[in-house]
Amino acid sequence: MVPKLTLALRLARRFPDNASLLAELREDKTIRRTIDAYDYLSGVAREGGSVTVADVAAAVKLPLSGTAQAANAKAVATILAALTTYDFEEATPILTTLVLRKAGKRPPPAFFALVDDMGLLAPYDDEESFVKDETARVHKNWVAA
């Protein structure tokens, strides 16, 4: 699923003025939510902020409560993995660094597992140093945009 979402996001970002392509991509709920999550997080980055997983879930209309909580949490995790993979493949700062488990906390363990698999943690002594540096890179990149 992540490669499909990454490809869809790449198309949406490369052809933002192609209304028919965007309409077709957005017909798929998961793709639409992935594009919406990217747009939401880029707005957060422009403001120099951070958000929680629950904030992202709410922004893409996948509440983390009620009977669909487990399914929605899995969908949000897939979306965040796709966004992380997209930024890694595009060699841009990782927007999902701004997504914290809870306010004032750190990103979820799945985030660290993924960026470690990508080799991004290797130059760092600890995860907190990576988050600090990558958060600064994200904010610098998006505030300037």
Side-chain angles (χ1 to χ4, degrees), residues 2-139:
V2 168
K4 173 185 171 182
L5 296 176
T6 304
L7 175 60
L9 185 56
R10 186 170 290 111
L11 289 169
R13 300 297 302 158
R14 291 228 171 106
F15 303 104
D17 298 326
N18 187 328
S20 62
L21 172 64
L22 293 176
E24 187 173 334
L25 289 172
R26 294 177 77 76
E27 286 180 12
D28 180 294
K29 285 182 184 179
T30 306
I31 291 172
R32 180 177 66 242
R33 288 178 171 136
T34 302
I35 294 168
D36 290 348
Y38 186 89
D39 292 342
Y40 173 70
L41 287 175
S42 60
V44 169
R46 276 191 219 65
E47 295 171 3
S50 62
V51 294
T52 65
V53 173
D55 294 331
V56 174
V60 299
K61 297 175 180 52
L62 287 169
L64 298 180
S65 61
T67 58
Q69 180 178 358
N72 287 353
K74 184 176 180 180
V76 170
T78 300
I79 289 167
L80 293 174
L83 297 180
T84 304
T85 302
Y86 171 79
D87 282 337
F88 175 75
E89 291 174 352
E90 294 292 313
T92 59
I94 309 293
L95 268 174
T96 54
T97 305
L98 305 179
V99 181
L100 311 175
R101 285 177 82 178
K102 295 182 181 189
K105 299 292 181 182
R106 48 191 260 142
F111 169 81
F112 290 110
L114 184 55
V115 296
D116 190 32
D117 286 347
M118 294 172 172
L120 298 175
L121 289 180
Y124 292 90
D125 292 331
D126 57 51
E127 294 170 344
E128 284 73 26
S129 297
F130 170 78
V131 169
K132 181 180 175 188
D133 286 355
E134 195 64 15
T135 298
R137 281 181 8 102
V138 168
H139 287 151

